[in-house]
Amino acid sequence: MASVVMSCASTAPVCMRCRKAGHMAKDCQSLPFLRLQSVAEERAQRQAQRAEKDRQFEARKAENEKQIAEFESRKAAWEARQAARPRKETDKWDSDSAYTESTVPSSGFVDEVDTAEVESRASMDKKVRKLAKVLREICKLEECEQLEILQAAKVARKAEVESELESVLGLARARARHELRRERAS
């Protein structure tokens, strides 16, 4: 059993200092065996590096603030020049009429259709009738005290059916208005 475990283990040596495979700690070339500096010297070196990074950061920060101040002064000068400049007539487009004699809609196109006729045609739409029937059934089921599982699921869909009916009814009204206008035009 021990020979099986030993044969499965990796036979390549691993360095205990740098954790790389292929050599032992005594042959390690990446890390020396003895310290080159004391712990205090290493700490002082890290602190010096950190202080240098802090100085560089402060220098960049001062440079950025200088650039921001320069930008703000240029922006203020530009705004002063823009304020002193005479304004062109930019509101012309807002006050002018968009209609000319050639673009005014003809009276036959603008004329409104009868809303009662639109409602009548919209209510005859197949999808509208189907959803209205489902909504009536849901209202009847809401009055019952005991509901089966499928009936309760149908009642839970009430909000969804109402919104779908509203959108389908809107589309049917639009179609009916379009048909009525087309009939009157011909």
Side-chain angles (χ1 to χ4, degrees), residues 1-165:
M1 181 74 162
S3 63
V4 173
V5 172
M6 293 302 282
S7 66
C8 291
S10 175
T11 57
V14 177
C15 177
M16 297 304 287
R17 278 190 256 154
C18 67
R19 305 278 188 234
K20 292 182 183 175
H23 64 275
M24 301 292 284
K26 67 178 182 169
D27 301 325
C28 186
Q29 298 296 320
S30 40
L31 292 176
F33 182 72
L34 299 174
R35 288 183 180 268
L36 299 176
Q37 299 173 337
S38 68
V39 175
E41 291 171 339
E42 288 177 354
R43 185 180 313 119
Q45 185 179 12
R46 283 194 309 270
Q47 288 174 349
Q49 289 173 350
R50 182 65 191 166
E52 179 61 29
K53 284 184 180 180
D54 288 344
R55 280 192 295 277
Q56 290 174 356
F57 173 75
E58 291 299 325
R60 285 193 310 269
K61 187 176 175 183
E63 181 66 27
N64 287 343
E65 289 174 357
K66 179 181 167 187
Q67 288 177 351
I68 289 171
E70 185 180 317
F71 171 76
E72 291 295 329
S73 66
R74 284 195 319 251
K75 182 179 176 185
W78 179 82
E79 288 174 351
R81 285 192 311 268
Q82 292 299 318
R85 211 175 197 187
R87 289 282 172 194
K88 293 182 181 176
E89 205 176 304
T90 58
D91 296 335
K92 177 183 175 189
W93 297 106
D94 293 336
S95 63
D96 285 351
S97 172
Y99 292 121
T100 62
E101 289 180 22
S102 63
T103 60
V104 173
S106 63
S107 61
F109 181 75
V110 173
D111 112 20
E112 288 297 318
V113 293
D114 185 26
T115 55
E117 181 67 22
V118 169
E119 287 297 323
S120 171
R121 287 192 182 195
S123 64
M124 296 303 293
D125 187 56
K126 183 178 179 180
K127 289 181 181 178
V128 171
R129 288 186 318 207
K130 179 182 173 186
L131 290 171
K133 179 183 174 186
V134 170
L135 200 55
R136 282 193 309 271
E137 290 173 356
I138 289 174
C139 289
K140 285 180 185 177
L141 288 174
E142 284 179 331
E143 296 172 359
C144 297
E145 294 177 9
Q146 298 273 336
L147 294 176
E148 293 181 8
I149 296 171
L150 294 177
Q151 291 173 331
K154 193 173 199 177
V155 170
R157 284 187 13 188
K158 182 178 180 180
E160 178 184 333
V161 171
E162 285 175 340
S163 66
E164 189 174 352
L165 175 63

